[in-house]
Amino acid sequence: MSFGSASVRPSATDACPCGEGEFGTHCGPLLDGEPAPGAERLMRSRYTAFAIGDAAHLARSWHPRTRPDEIEVGDGTQWIGLDIMSAEEGADAAEVSFRARWRHGNDAGELRERSRFVRRAGRWVYVDGDVD
């Protein structure tokens, strides 16, 4: 099972790819292993991981029951924007709806998903989602 590592990590003072604050104070610490304070924040860090090619964070933050054996990143897709549409967080379960815009060569589009998260051993993890 190979999940790779970050390939294009922003500097601490760069704008965070998720659109919130600086990388070093927003998603950077989560990609380094700090627990997410909530599901929305984990969703943002997972978007950032896709944007910069950090498959290791995606693997760590994915529930082991639903995590694929291999996570593909770095296929030339550029993730160019994230919008959180809604976030409903309970004590141990949450759903986050988002829109992520992408570009791949001359093609562009967006991914819309309602993602499910649970708290497992005190840490939020992604379980699965419904793509629109």
Side-chain angles (χ1 to χ4, degrees), residues 38-40 87-90 92-96 115-119 124:
E40 179 180 343
E88 301 166 14
E89 295 193 26
D92 293 315
E95 291 189 352
V96 178
S115 299
R116 285 177 284 280
F117 299 84
V118 296
R119 191 185 309 263
W124 285 101

Side-chain angles (χ1 to χ4, degrees), residues 112-129:
R112 290 178 178 255
E113 182 176 305
R114 183 163 186 85
S115 299
R116 285 177 284 280
F117 299 84
V118 296
R119 191 185 309 263
R120 183 174 190 269
R123 296 179 73 100
W124 285 101
V125 293
Y126 171 78
V127 177
D128 61 15

Side-chain angles (χ1 to χ4, degrees), residues 2-68:
S2 172
F3 294 109
S5 61
S7 59
V8 185
R9 189 175 175 94
S11 72
T13 58
D14 284 344
C16 194
C18 81
E20 296 266 319
E22 293 180 345
F23 177 76
T25 58
H26 198 266
C27 288
L30 277 61
L31 272 64
D32 289 338
E34 185 176 298
E40 179 180 343
R41 187 78 176 277
L42 181 63
M43 176 62 240
R44 289 182 173 282
S45 74
R46 288 176 55 80
Y47 169 86
T48 294
F50 275 107
I52 68 171
D54 189 342
H57 176 67
L58 294 169
R60 280 192 311 274
S61 63
W62 209 316
H63 195 290
R65 181 175 41 85
T66 57
R67 180 180 57 221

